[in-house]
Amino acid sequence: MKGISIPALSCLCILAFTTSAFCRDAVPPKGAPPHVPASLEDIENCSDPVVMLVIGEVSEEGFDWQHPSGRDYGEELRNSDLYERFGGFYMTSSQILETFENPYPANRFTLMAEWPCLEAAQGFYYSSEYQDILKLRAGSGTFQFTVFPRETIEDMSYMRGK
Protein backbone atom coordinates (compact mmCIF):
# COMPACT_ATOMS: atom_id res chain seq x y z
CA MET A 1 0.00 0.00 0.00
CA LYS A 2 1.57 3.22 -1.10
CA GLY A 3 1.68 6.01 1.48
CA ILE A 4 1.26 3.88 4.59
CA SER A 5 4.18 2.59 6.64
CA ILE A 6 4.49 -1.04 7.69
CA PRO A 7 4.17 -0.14 11.42
CA ALA A 8 1.04 1.88 10.67
CA LEU A 9 -0.37 -0.98 8.59
CA SER A 10 0.43 -3.37 11.43
CA CYS A 11 -1.45 -1.16 13.86
CA LEU A 12 -4.44 -0.98 11.54
CA CYS A 13 -4.40 -4.77 11.28
CA ILE A 14 -4.18 -5.07 15.07
CA LEU A 15 -7.24 -2.86 15.43
CA ALA A 16 -9.12 -4.67 12.69
CA PHE A 17 -8.39 -8.14 14.01
CA THR A 18 -9.03 -7.38 17.69
CA THR A 19 -12.72 -7.12 16.82
CA SER A 20 -12.95 -9.77 14.12
CA ALA A 21 -13.39 -13.50 13.77
CA PHE A 22 -9.59 -13.82 13.84
CA CYS A 23 -9.48 -13.09 17.57
CA ARG A 24 -8.22 -15.86 19.77
CA ASP A 25 -9.92 -17.05 22.91
CA ALA A 26 -10.04 -14.57 25.75
CA VAL A 27 -6.74 -14.18 27.58
CA PRO A 28 -7.11 -13.35 31.28
CA PRO A 29 -4.80 -10.78 32.88
CA LYS A 30 -1.60 -12.29 34.31
CA GLY A 31 -0.81 -9.60 36.84
CA ALA A 32 2.51 -7.97 37.52
CA PRO A 33 5.64 -9.89 36.54
CA PRO A 34 7.95 -11.01 39.37
CA HIS A 35 10.35 -8.14 38.62
CA VAL A 36 8.99 -4.80 37.45
CA PRO A 37 11.79 -2.71 35.93
CA ALA A 38 12.24 0.84 37.22
CA SER A 39 13.28 2.17 33.80
CA LEU A 40 14.32 1.12 30.33
CA GLU A 41 17.94 0.91 31.56
CA ASP A 42 16.92 -2.00 33.83
CA ILE A 43 15.86 -4.16 30.86
CA GLU A 44 18.28 -6.40 28.98
CA ASN A 45 17.66 -7.22 25.31
CA CYS A 46 14.75 -4.81 24.87
CA SER A 47 14.49 -5.12 21.10
CA ASP A 48 11.10 -6.60 20.22
CA PRO A 49 8.70 -3.63 19.94
CA VAL A 50 5.14 -4.00 21.16
CA VAL A 51 1.95 -2.02 20.81
CA MET A 52 -0.26 -1.38 23.82
CA LEU A 53 -3.90 -1.08 22.84
CA VAL A 54 -6.18 0.60 25.36
CA ILE A 55 -9.92 0.30 24.87
CA GLY A 56 -12.21 2.10 27.27
CA GLU A 57 -15.96 1.99 27.66
CA VAL A 58 -16.84 5.19 29.48
CA SER A 59 -19.62 4.98 32.06
CA GLU A 60 -22.88 6.90 31.68
CA GLU A 61 -21.54 9.49 34.08
CA GLY A 62 -18.61 9.97 31.72
CA PHE A 63 -14.91 10.06 32.26
CA ASP A 64 -14.19 12.58 34.98
CA TRP A 65 -10.62 13.74 34.53
CA GLN A 66 -10.84 15.61 37.82
CA HIS A 67 -10.80 13.19 40.75
CA PRO A 68 -12.70 14.25 43.91
CA SER A 69 -9.28 14.63 45.56
CA GLY A 70 -8.52 17.51 43.18
CA ARG A 71 -5.92 15.49 41.29
CA ASP A 72 -6.33 15.20 37.50
CA TYR A 73 -5.61 11.87 35.70
CA GLY A 74 -4.45 13.42 32.43
CA GLU A 75 -2.35 16.09 34.08
CA GLU A 76 -0.67 13.62 36.41
CA LEU A 77 0.13 11.24 33.54
CA ARG A 78 1.49 14.10 31.39
CA ASN A 79 3.60 15.39 34.27
CA SER A 80 5.03 11.98 35.09
CA ASP A 81 8.14 10.85 33.25
CA LEU A 82 6.77 7.35 32.73
CA TYR A 83 6.62 7.38 28.94
CA GLU A 84 10.11 8.82 28.65
CA ARG A 85 11.52 6.54 31.34
CA PHE A 86 10.29 3.41 29.54
CA GLY A 87 10.77 4.58 25.94
CA GLY A 88 7.08 4.66 25.07
CA PHE A 89 5.14 7.03 22.86
CA TYR A 90 1.54 7.50 21.85
CA MET A 91 0.80 6.40 18.31
CA THR A 92 -2.84 7.44 18.13
CA SER A 93 -5.80 8.40 20.22
CA SER A 94 -9.55 8.23 19.80
CA GLN A 95 -10.00 11.03 17.34
CA ILE A 96 -11.78 9.16 14.56
CA LEU A 97 -11.22 10.31 11.01
CA GLU A 98 -13.60 7.86 9.36
CA THR A 99 -15.41 4.61 10.11
CA PHE A 100 -15.45 2.06 7.29
CA GLU A 101 -17.46 -0.72 8.92
CA ASN A 102 -19.95 -0.82 11.80
CA PRO A 103 -20.60 2.26 13.90
CA TYR A 104 -18.05 3.16 16.54
CA PRO A 105 -19.76 3.31 19.97
CA ALA A 106 -20.07 6.84 21.31
CA ASN A 107 -18.86 5.87 24.79
CA ARG A 108 -15.74 4.01 23.58
CA PHE A 109 -12.25 5.32 23.21
CA THR A 110 -9.15 3.65 21.87
CA LEU A 111 -5.52 4.63 22.03
CA MET A 112 -2.28 2.96 21.09
CA ALA A 113 1.19 3.39 22.47
CA GLU A 114 4.38 1.78 21.26
CA TRP A 115 7.02 0.42 23.63
CA PRO A 116 10.49 -0.92 22.81
CA CYS A 117 9.60 -4.33 24.37
CA LEU A 118 7.04 -6.06 26.56
CA GLU A 119 9.09 -5.47 29.70
CA ALA A 120 9.04 -1.70 29.07
CA ALA A 121 5.23 -1.75 28.73
CA GLN A 122 5.04 -3.79 31.94
CA GLY A 123 7.38 -1.37 33.69
CA PHE A 124 5.13 1.54 32.72
CA TYR A 125 1.83 -0.12 33.64
CA TYR A 126 2.91 -1.84 36.86
CA SER A 127 5.04 1.04 38.18
CA SER A 128 3.90 2.36 41.53
CA GLU A 129 3.54 5.81 39.93
CA TYR A 130 1.09 4.63 37.26
CA GLN A 131 -0.82 2.44 39.70
CA ASP A 132 -1.33 5.58 41.82
CA ILE A 133 -2.47 7.59 38.77
CA LEU A 134 -4.89 4.79 37.75
CA LYS A 135 -6.87 5.34 40.93
CA LEU A 136 -7.85 8.78 39.61
CA ARG A 137 -10.11 7.30 36.91
CA ALA A 138 -11.85 4.77 39.17
CA GLY A 139 -15.57 4.56 38.46
CA SER A 140 -15.29 6.30 35.09
CA GLY A 141 -15.81 3.10 33.06
CA THR A 142 -14.09 -0.12 32.14
CA PHE A 143 -10.67 -0.15 30.56
CA GLN A 144 -8.77 -2.91 28.80
CA PHE A 145 -5.00 -2.75 28.34
CA THR A 146 -3.62 -5.36 25.95
CA VAL A 147 -0.17 -5.70 24.45
CA PHE A 148 0.54 -7.06 20.97
CA PRO A 149 3.81 -7.71 19.19
CA ARG A 150 4.49 -5.08 16.55
CA GLU A 151 4.44 -7.20 13.42
CA THR A 152 4.70 -6.67 9.72
CA ILE A 153 2.09 -8.12 7.41
CA GLU A 154 4.61 -10.82 6.50
CA ASP A 155 4.73 -11.90 10.17
CA MET A 156 0.97 -12.46 10.35
CA SER A 157 0.16 -16.04 9.40
CA TYR A 158 -3.53 -15.27 8.93
CA MET A 159 -2.63 -12.58 6.37
CA ARG A 160 -0.46 -14.96 4.30
CA GLY A 161 -3.24 -17.46 3.79
CA LYS A 162 -2.98 -21.18 4.35
Side-chain angles (χ1 to χ4, degrees), residues 39-115:
S39 71
L40 194 56
E41 287 76 37
D42 290 346
I43 304 169
E44 293 182 30
N45 303 321
C46 186
S47 60
D48 294 321
V50 298
V51 174
M52 179 183 284
L53 176 64
V54 181
I55 299 173
E57 297 285 337
V58 180
S59 67
E60 287 185 23
E61 296 79 28
F63 188 89
D64 188 3
W65 292 94
Q66 188 75 35
H67 188 265
S69 68
R71 294 171 62 200
D72 181 280
Y73 174 87
E75 182 179 338
E76 297 238 358
L77 186 55
R78 282 188 307 277
N79 290 337
S80 76
D81 68 344
L82 290 169
Y83 273 83
E84 296 82 14
R85 190 174 355 147
F86 290 101
F89 63 92
Y90 283 110
M91 298 171 67
T92 187
S93 66
S94 284
Q95 185 164 351
I96 298 169
L97 296 177
E98 184 174 353
T99 300
F100 294 123
E101 240 181 272
N102 297 315
Y104 195 84
N107 67 334
R108 180 180 295 159
F109 73 88
T110 305
L111 68 83
M112 291 188 299
E114 184 169 324
W115 302 93

